[in-house]
Amino acid sequence: MRGGEGPSRAPVLQFTNCRLLRGGRLLREDLWVREGRILDPEKLFFDERRLADRQQDCGGCILAPGFIDVQINGGFGVDFSLATEDVGSGVALVARKILSHGVTAFCPTLVTSPPEVYHKVLPQIPVKRGGPHGAGVLGVHLEGPFISRQKRGAHPEAYVRSFEANAFHDVLATYGSLDNVCILTLAPELDRSHEVIQELTARGIRVSLGHSVADLRTAENAMQSGATFITHLFNAMLPFHHRDPGIVGLLTSDQVPPGRHIFYGMIADGIHTNPAALRIAHRAHPQGLVLVTDAVPALGLGNGRHTLGQQVVEVDGLSAYVAGTKTLCGSIAPMDTCVRHFLQTTGCSVESALESASLHPAQLLGLEKHKGSLDFGADADFVVLDDALHVQATYISGERVWQAEVAGQ
Amino acid sequence: MRLVILDNYDLASEWAAKYICNRIIQFKPGQDRYFTLGLPTGSTPLGCYKKLIEYHKNGDLSFKYVKTFNMDEYVGLPRNHPESYHSYMWNNFFKHIDIDPNNAHILDGNAADLQAECDAFEKKIKEAGGIDLFVGGIGPDGHIAFNEPGSSLVSRTRLKTLAMDTILASAKYFDGDLSKVPTMALTVGVGTVMDAREVMILITGAHKAFALYKAIEEGVNHMWTVSAFQQHPRTIFVCDEDATLELRVKTVKYFKGLMHVHNKLVDPLYSMKEGN
C-alpha cells in the first residue's frame, strides 16, 4: 500500500492581471486554482515543477473571497419561512439568483414561526455545497421564536415564546431538529438562557443575541456562556445608553473571554442604520463587523405587497415595511450594494469592506480555513470586482458560475 | 576584465539586464540549445531582475530555452521561509517569467545528504554543458557566492559556514536578529564559477567599494575571493559610481573612457519579437 498520493494531474488554472485580497491587503498577485481549491504556485513550481495549464486574464480587476450572507430571509418571491412541500426549490432559486450579487455561500434565515413550520421546513434545507446551480447553503439561521416580545420588530407576536419551562427541551420540541442549523438568535434575558446557550454552543451552533431588551451585564453573561454574534446591531435592541450600553456595549466590553471577540451583523443598506451609527460601530470594533442583507422575499422584485413569515410587507424603493405600519422588516439591498454602501459611508479601506462580507462571516462560523479568504488551500470561491466594487463575475470552486453582461455585445 | 561604470544603481541594473538580454537572444536558444545562466540573490540584483521581467512582459525576451543555476541557498531554512533563496527567486523572478520549472536549479539546503546534493549540482551543470554566463555579486568581505575569506580559489560546490561579516549583512532580512540568521549554506565554489564561459559581477553601493578595490586593484587572494576572476578570460564588473569610491582615479578614468565601447554590447538592444 503506497503511502501518500502522487501529484494531481488535474488542470491548473492561473488567473492573471488582477489584485487579490490576501492578508488584509490588495496584492498584485496571480490566483492559482486546482480541483476547486486555491493553490500555492511556489510549491507547484518547486515540488511538482509545473506551470499553469490555462491562464485567464482578469483585466486588472479585484479578486475578493466570495461574499457570505448569514442573514437572508428569502428573495425573488421566495419566503424561507413559508412551509410548503417544496422548500428546496425556493432555496435553490435564491441560491442561484444571489450569485449575481457576489454571494457564494449563505444561511437561509427563518423568522419567528409556529413549531409546525419549523418541523416541516428545517428538514428541507440541508447544508449544500455551492456550484453552477447556486451559492452554497452553510446552514440555517433561526431568528426566533425565543425573543423579546417587546423587541419582536416584524416578527409575529403570536409565535414569540420562551423556554423557561424546559429550557433546551423546549428548544428541541419547537424546532424538531437542529441538524441543519448553524446560527440561532435569541434574547438572553429569557429565563434559563444560560443553559440553552451552553447546550447550543456545545453542539457547534453559533448563538446570536438579538430582538432583546438585555442590559450589558446580561449580554456579557450570555457571551461567557458561548454567544458569539449579535443580530443586526442597533436594530431590535435597547439603544446605547452611557450608563448601560446594553448589547451594543459588547463591542467594547472587557468581559470578552480571552482569544475571542464578538461578531455583529450590520445591515448597511442606507436605511436600517444611520451612517454615523455605522461609523461608530465600525470604529469601535472593525474586526467583528459582519455585513448581512437581512433580505426579505421582496429582494429582486419590484414595489408592492409580498409575504414575510406570517405577515404581509409593503415595498417602496429600497425600503420594506410591515404593511400598514412604519416598522422596518428587513432590507432588499443586495449584498454587493451593501458592500459599496458600507465602503462609502464609513470611508474604510476597500480591504476592510470586503473582509466584512467574507472573512468575518467565515470566522463567525468557524469556516475560515476554507471560506472567506483566498489563502492557499481555501475553496476557490471568489468574486471578480471592478474598482467601484461592482460584481463582474462570480466563481465557486474555481468554476465561473455567473458573469455580468458585457455592454454592446 | 571590463569595468562598466554607470552613474547610479538604476542605470547599472539596466545595463546588466540589457547585457544578459542581448547575450541570450544572440545565442539563439532553442529546443536543443539551451542558454545556461548562473544567478545571484541579495539586494544588488533586484533592479536587474525587474528589468529582465519588463523585457519578458513586453514580449522581447523569453526564458523558455534558458536553464538557470543559482549560486547558493541557506542550510536548514524551510524552503517556503520568506528569506530562503527559493522564495527570493520565486517572488523576484521565476513567477514573473516563462521559465520551465525543470530548468530552474537551486541547491536544496534541506537535503538529507548535503555533500551529495552539492555533487549532484555540479553534475547537473556539467550535463547542461556548463554555464554560458554566470551573474554574481560581491559581499562586503569580497566574497563571491558564499565563498568566505579563506575559501580555496579552486573550490567546488560545497557546504560552508558563514563568516560574521556575512551574518551581520544578512541580519536585516531576519528582523535584525542575529540568532535567526542561518549559519551555514550550500554554495557553488570559486572554481565552479571560474568554469563559466563568461562571468558578470554586479557591484553597487559605497559599502561595497572597498571590496571592489581589493578584488580588482590588489592581487589574487583567497581572502577576497572575487579577486580570482582576474584570471578569468571574460569577466565584466558592472558598477555604479558609489562602488568605485575606493578605486584609483586612474582606473576609473580609464574604464569610463571605454564606455562607448562597452555600450556597443547593449545598444542595439535585441528583441525576440518577430521582425526584429
Side-chain angles (χ1 to χ4, degrees):
Chain A
M1 186 71 167
R2 241 172 38 144
E5 300 160 7
S8 164
R9 299 315 306 167
V12 173
L13 281 83
Q14 182 185 359
F15 294 87
T16 64
N17 190 13
C18 55
R19 283 160 288 153
L20 299 187
L21 178 66
R22 195 176 268 164
R25 289 167 42 220
L26 276 178
L27 308 171
R28 247 233 119 75
E29 290 282 353
D30 293 346
L31 185 74
W32 294 65
V33 176
R34 178 167 62 184
E35 290 181 304
R37 292 248 163 114
I38 296 172
L39 193 61
D40 180 350
E42 188 178 344
K43 274 192 88 178
L44 186 75
F45 188 90
F46 289 125
D47 276 344
E48 297 180 49
R49 307 204 161 263
R50 268 180 76 179
L51 292 172
D53 295 291
R54 232 172 63 224
Q55 291 190 331
Q56 166 102 26
D57 188 319
C58 296
C61 283
I62 293 173
L63 260 56
F67 300 145
I68 299 173
D69 193 354
V70 302
Q71 187 171 5
I72 167 171
N73 309 288
F76 308 94
V78 172
D79 177 359
F80 296 143
S81 303
L82 195 63
T84 66
E85 297 307 317
D86 187 13
V87 174
S89 294
V91 173
L93 176 74
V94 174
R96 186 167 52 80
K97 291 282 196 178
I98 58 179
L99 291 176
S100 67
H101 304 159
V103 178
T104 53
F106 69 113
C107 299
T109 305
L110 265 62
V111 298
T112 295
S113 303
E116 309 85 79
V117 169
Y118 294 119
H119 289 231
K120 186 159 185 160
V121 172
L122 281 177
Q124 297 187 62
I125 311 183
V127 169
K128 192 172 176 181
R129 291 187 66 88
H133 54 275
V137 174
L138 297 173
V140 173
H141 176 167
L142 291 172
E143 191 188 2
F146 303 104
I147 55 175
S148 152
R149 201 165 293 274
Q150 188 186 332
K151 286 292 181 187
R152 68 185 184 283
H155 294 220
E157 182 167 9
Y159 305 114
V160 170
R161 50 169 305 176
S162 75
F163 36 54
E164 63 194 3
N166 290 306
F168 194 70
H169 294 288
D170 278 343
V171 171
L172 272 180
T174 301
Y175 297 124
S177 158
L178 292 170
D179 285 346
N180 300 330
V181 176
C182 68
I183 307 177
L184 204 149
T185 295
L186 51 74
E189 68 273 21
L190 294 181
D191 217 17
R192 303 185 76 178
S193 69
H194 167 75
E195 296 168 54
V196 171
I197 295 173
Q198 275 202 319
E199 182 60 42
L200 289 169
T201 304
R203 286 169 179 240
I205 294 174
R206 267 46 186 182
V207 175
S208 184
L209 308 180
H211 288 277
S212 157
V213 295
D215 56 17
L216 180 58
R217 179 84 248 142
T218 307
E220 283 169 339
N221 287 340
M223 209 171 44
Q224 272 151 359
S225 299
T228 52
F229 195 44
I230 300 173
T231 299
H232 44 55
L233 186 78
F234 297 129
N235 301 106
M237 57 185 65
L238 293 177
F240 176 92
H241 184 281
H242 55 288
R243 271 190 296 278
D244 190 340
I247 292 176
V248 178
L250 286 179
L251 266 58
T252 47
S253 164
D254 57 2
Q255 299 300 310
V256 181
R260 269 174 50 193
H261 63 81
I262 195 83
F263 290 94
Y264 56 100
M266 294 232 66
I267 307 173
D269 63 344
I271 294 158
H272 277 72
T273 316
N274 180 286
L278 191 56
R279 283 191 288 270
I280 285 178
H282 178 252
R283 287 180 204 175
H285 183 35
Q287 293 312 310
L289 201 149
V290 173
L291 289 174
V292 302
T293 59
D294 197 11
V296 296
L299 165 74
L301 304 179
N303 294 336
R305 292 195 153 210
H306 312 274
T307 58
L308 167 60
Q310 308 293 315
Q311 289 195 322
V312 186
V313 311
E314 185 108 35
V315 171
D316 178 16
L318 261 188
S319 313
Y321 300 97
V322 176
T325 76
K326 282 256 157 255
T327 308
L328 291 169
C329 59
S331 109
I332 48 177
M335 181 59 101
D336 60 316
T337 302
C338 292
V339 172
R340 286 190 297 275
H341 180 81
F342 176 70
L343 175 72
Q344 240 177 322
T345 322
T346 58
C348 67
S349 64
V350 168
E351 294 89 327
S352 188
L354 294 174
E355 284 190 335
S356 299
S358 57
L359 178 65
H360 298 171
Q363 287 171 330
L364 163 68
L365 296 175
L367 300 172
E368 66 269 30
K369 269 205 165 47
H370 295 295
K371 301 274 185 222
S373 87
L374 297 180
D375 291 343
F376 303 137
D379 291 347
D381 296 348
F382 59 96
V383 56
V384 181
L385 302 159
D386 64 16
D387 283 347
L389 302 190
H390 288 101
V391 181
Q392 303 302 305
T394 307
Y395 286 77
I396 291 183
S397 293
E399 202 183 339
R400 187 165 63 207
V401 295
W402 185 83
Q403 187 181 23
E405 306 256 311
V406 181
Q409 281 191 0
Chain B
M1 69 167 179
R2 288 189 213 275
L3 180 61
V4 177
I5 304 169
L6 286 307
D7 287 345
N8 57 48
Y9 175 78
D10 289 335
L11 291 172
S13 301
E14 190 178 16
W15 198 99
K18 282 181 173 173
Y19 186 78
I20 296 170
C21 182
N22 274 357
R23 289 287 283 107
I24 294 173
I25 295 174
Q26 286 176 306
F27 180 85
K28 293 192 183 13
Q31 188 92 33
D32 308 305
R33 191 181 150 72
Y34 281 75
F35 186 89
T36 45
L37 194 56
L39 293 176
T41 52
S43 53
T44 306
L46 283 175
C48 180
Y49 282 131
K50 278 200 172 77
K51 289 308 275 186
L52 287 172
I53 290 165
E54 190 188 301
Y55 302 150
H56 169 70
K57 290 226 185 305
N58 288 341
D60 295 315
L61 178 61
S62 164
F63 291 87
K64 194 162 175 216
Y65 298 114
V66 174
K67 287 186 179 166
T68 64
F69 290 88
N70 265 67
M71 295 187 125
D72 41 24
E73 173 62 285
Y74 289 116
V75 164
L77 205 59
R79 197 196 63 211
N80 61 0
H81 187 285
E83 294 305 327
S84 81
Y85 287 168
H86 279 80
S87 293
Y88 176 102
M89 289 308 297
W90 168 254
N91 285 309
N92 294 309
F93 199 46
F94 295 147
K95 84 176 175 198
H96 305 278
I97 59 172
D98 62 343
I99 190 168
D100 181 337
N102 289 299
N103 293 335
H105 303 281
I106 308 181
L107 285 156
D108 177 6
N110 292 301
D113 183 343
L114 294 173
Q115 192 50 55
E117 170 69 12
C118 294
D119 295 339
F121 201 71
E122 287 274 345
K123 191 153 175 257
K124 277 185 209 144
I125 293 175
K126 203 160 171 196
E127 281 164 359
I131 309 253
D132 291 306
L133 172 62
F134 218 127
V135 183
I138 191 173
D141 59 0
H143 71 221
I144 174 87
F146 278 133
N147 291 288
E148 306 291 56
S151 294
S152 161
L153 298 180
V154 294
S155 51
R156 309 305 305 183
T157 306
R158 70 222 183 282
L159 172 69
K160 283 293 282 186
T161 302
L162 305 185
M164 183 45 82
D165 273 341
T166 303
I167 293 178
L168 286 171
S170 303
K172 65 180 186 259
Y173 300 120
F174 293 88
D175 304 320
D177 184 351
L178 291 183
S179 67
K180 286 198 181 136
V181 183
T183 54
M184 296 200 293
L186 298 184
T187 178
V188 291
V190 182
T192 317
V193 184
M194 281 289 287
D195 281 353
R197 287 179 271 287
E198 187 173 9
V199 177
M200 182 165 85
I201 310 283
L202 300 178
I203 309 181
T204 56
H207 59 299
K208 299 285 175 81
F210 191 73
L212 177 60
Y213 150 66
K214 280 290 188 184
I216 67 174
E217 286 189 338
E218 298 272 300
V220 173
N221 187 315
H222 67 172
M223 283 300 167
W224 301 90
T225 51
V226 176
S227 64
F229 296 97
Q230 292 179 27
Q231 297 194 299
H232 189 287
R234 263 188 93 85
T235 300
I236 307 182
F237 288 88
V238 180
C239 346
D240 61 358
E241 280 282 347
D242 286 346
T244 64
L245 287 173
E246 293 285 353
L247 298 179
R248 281 196 171 162
V249 175
K250 190 159 86 171
T251 310
V252 175
K253 278 192 184 219
Y254 174 69
F255 284 103
K256 274 194 170 170
L258 286 174
M259 274 314 284
H260 65 287
V261 175
H262 296 156
N263 281 334
K264 287 200 186 128
L265 298 166
V266 296
D267 183 23
L269 179 62
Y270 291 102
S271 165
M272 283 182 175
K273 277 194 185 132
E274 294 298 313
N276 275 31

